[in-house]
Amino acid sequence: MSRHTFEDKLKVIDLYLNKCNSYRETAKLMSATKSDIIKWVALYQKHGEKGLQPTYTNYSVKHHMYSICHLTQR
């Protein structure tokens, strides 16, 4: 799980793009790494806010077993 929320990432975008902070300055202000900032800015520029949304899903074991059984019965 990311320690930076969606809102944190939006703040990063604002600091970097609108306030003209450097990657390094933004990383220091947000307690992130420079590579995190570079990645988030690139995702935002390519996909907009949707690119900053978490993509992790947590499926139950029951769901995994159902999917495996369903796929193997074809």
Side-chain angles (χ1 to χ4, degrees), residues 35-51:
S35 61
D36 284 338
I37 307 304
I38 293 169
K39 179 176 67 175
W40 298 336
V41 169
L43 285 169
Y44 179 80
Q45 289 175 328
K46 185 169 184 177
H47 303 288
E49 288 186 11
K50 188 175 180 180

Side-chain angles (χ1 to χ4, degrees), residues 66-74:
Y66 173 80
S67 297
I68 291 168
C69 291
H70 180 73
L71 289 171
T72 57
Q73 290 178 358
R74 288 184 175 188

Side-chain angles (χ1 to χ4, degrees), residues 4-43:
H4 298 284
T5 65
F6 173 72
E7 290 76 20
D8 289 340
K9 293 173 186 177
L10 286 177
K11 187 172 181 179
V12 162
I13 299 306
D14 181 56
L15 287 170
Y16 180 74
L17 294 178
N18 300 327
K19 304 286 192 280
C20 299
N21 287 10
S22 69
Y23 287 126
R24 181 176 289 150
E25 291 168 332
T26 304
K28 188 174 181 179
L29 286 170
M30 297 301 295
S31 299
T33 64
K34 182 179 166 186
S35 61
D36 284 338
I37 307 304
I38 293 169
K39 179 176 67 175
W40 298 336
V41 169
L43 285 169

